Amino acid sequence: MANSILFQNLEKQTYARREAFNSLRTNLQFCGVDNKVIMFTSCTPDEGKSTVTMELARSLNDDGKKVVLVDADLRKSVFVGRYRIHSEETMFGLSHYLSGQKKMDEVINHTNIENLDMIIAGPVAPNPTELLGRELFVNLLAALKERYDVVLVDCPPLGWVIDAAVVAPNCDGVVLVVESGAISYRYLQDVKKQLEVTGVNILGVVLNKVKVEGGGYYNRYYSGHYKGYYNKYGRYGYGKYGKYGRYGEYGHYGEEPTEPLEDVAASSGEPAENPGGGV
């Protein structure tokens, strides 16, 4: 029987934040109705990937979708600590299921958000890549796809560890979360190529933590109504969320970012004229 967990530190959504994620939700829906299992990854830690995944889950819930969020970061999950997840019972997670200790229904947790269930990562596993490559995980995603309208899979940064590349072939699509000004164009292209090798459908990029500046009608309108929200939270509803924490010595993919990201196209290798958030 499914457990019940409580998000004790769920931040209230501002107007700007809610509208930004409603836009992201709409863009993903236009990618096709067959994209039910969507994976989120990034190049490095602290780009806001997990927060983007959670806020999208809340937006999909507002749209009446039945959603399950799968925390597939078996190395350094942030969900339990960041949202102060609590349960009156013992919580079991993905690592329990993949190691054969628990069945699927024992690791699916109902939450205090209506129609949103979650599978937490569970205890840190010594062999996360091997666990995620097992048939048990493939079967889990297939079963969740039948049970829920949308399955969101939060994976570790692909620029640091290979786990996301192992998970990607079992998903319908992937979204890259990129922090504006923090990742080099070349580094992002290396991560994108790694995803292309898996054959997964790259749905696009969320350019995160974008500073909203300049003139124009959009800026003038919001400067009078919601400028405070943007200054505090950034383009996608938040600025520096806080340190992701030391991710561990898992090695690096490609080269370290050495130059600022200037332009990133949503799902292609060509620079965009006006970088911004969205898919």
Side-chain angles (χ1 to χ4, degrees), residues 28-42:
L28 284 172
Q29 290 173 340
F30 274 106
C31 289
V33 295
D34 293 332
N35 296 311
K36 295 184 64 175
V37 181
I38 304 174
M39 186 188 83
F40 282 77
T41 189
S42 58

Side-chain angles (χ1 to χ4, degrees), residues 174-242:
V174 61
V175 174
L176 266 171
V177 178
V178 178
E179 180 180 354
S180 177
I183 306 299
S184 72
Y185 180 79
R186 182 183 300 175
Y187 191 44
L188 178 58
Q189 287 298 307
D190 284 344
V191 173
K192 178 175 176 286
K193 289 176 182 177
Q194 183 69 14
L195 285 172
E196 290 174 338
V197 170
T198 69
V200 69
N201 182 22
I202 301 177
L203 302 178
V205 169
V206 172
L207 189 57
N208 196 29
K209 305 180 186 180
V210 179
K211 293 182 180 180
V212 180
E213 298 175 347
Y217 173 79
Y218 182 86
N219 187 65
R220 291 197 300 271
Y221 178 82
Y222 276 91
S223 66
H225 293 78
Y226 305 110
K227 185 176 180 180
Y229 295 134
Y230 275 91
N231 287 342
K232 181 178 180 182
Y233 293 114
R235 172 65 178 88
Y236 265 93
Y238 59 95
K240 291 285 185 182
Y241 194 99

Side-chain angles (χ1 to χ4, degrees), residues 24-252:
L24 174 60
R25 179 194 72 204
T26 301
N27 289 340
L28 284 172
Q29 290 173 340
F30 274 106
C31 289
V33 295
D34 293 332
N35 296 311
K36 295 184 64 175
V37 181
I38 304 174
M39 186 188 83
F40 282 77
T41 189
S42 58
C43 296
T44 64
D46 201 29
E47 294 189 71
K49 165 186 59 63
S50 296
T51 305
V52 168
T53 308
M54 171 60 78
E55 294 303 319
L56 176 62
R58 296 174 70 181
S59 179
L60 288 164
N61 179 262
D62 291 340
D63 194 38
K65 303 295 185 183
K66 188 176 181 181
V67 183
V68 61
L69 198 164
V70 180
D71 184 0
D73 190 343
L74 303 183
R75 301 173 186 267
K76 184 68 175 181
S77 172
V78 301
F79 281 102
V80 173
R82 177 174 297 173
Y83 296 102
R84 292 175 54 206
I85 295 178
H86 173 75
S87 176
E88 296 295 334
E89 306 170 67
T90 302
M91 293 188 294
F92 300 109
L94 183 60
S95 58
H96 287 110
Y97 168 78
L98 295 179
S99 60
Q101 299 179 58
K102 296 295 176 181
K103 297 181 180 180
M104 181 181 72
D105 288 336
E106 294 178 287
V107 299
I108 297 177
N109 302 285
H110 299 314
T111 74
N112 53 318
I113 301 177
E114 187 178 2
N115 288 327
L116 175 60
D117 290 348
M118 182 175 184
I119 298 177
I120 63 174
V124 176
N127 55 340
T129 306
E130 178 186 338
L131 290 177
L132 292 170
R134 291 182 177 178
E135 189 176 355
L136 277 172
F137 189 65
V138 178
N139 295 338
L140 174 67
L141 293 183
L144 294 177
K145 187 174 182 179
E146 293 297 322
R147 186 179 299 189
Y148 295 89
D149 296 320
V150 181
V151 181
L152 301 179
V153 185
D154 183 80
C155 285
L158 183 55
W160 280 46
V161 292
I162 200 65
D163 298 9
V166 175
V167 173
N170 304 312
C171 300
D172 298 322
V174 61
V175 174
L176 266 171
V177 178
V178 178
E179 180 180 354
S180 177
I183 306 299
S184 72
Y185 180 79
R186 182 183 300 175
Y187 191 44
L188 178 58
Q189 287 298 307
D190 284 344
V191 173
K192 178 175 176 286
K193 289 176 182 177
Q194 183 69 14
L195 285 172
E196 290 174 338
V197 170
T198 69
V200 69
N201 182 22
I202 301 177
L203 302 178
V205 169
V206 172
L207 189 57
N208 196 29
K209 305 180 186 180
V210 179
K211 293 182 180 180
V212 180
E213 298 175 347
Y217 173 79
Y218 182 86
N219 187 65
R220 291 197 300 271
Y221 178 82
Y222 276 91
S223 66
H225 293 78
Y226 305 110
K227 185 176 180 180
Y229 295 134
Y230 275 91
N231 287 342
K232 181 178 180 182
Y233 293 114
R235 172 65 178 88
Y236 265 93
Y238 59 95
K240 291 285 185 182
Y241 194 99
K243 292 297 181 183
Y244 192 102
R246 296 289 298 175
Y247 212 81
E249 298 300 329
Y250 304 132
H252 302 277

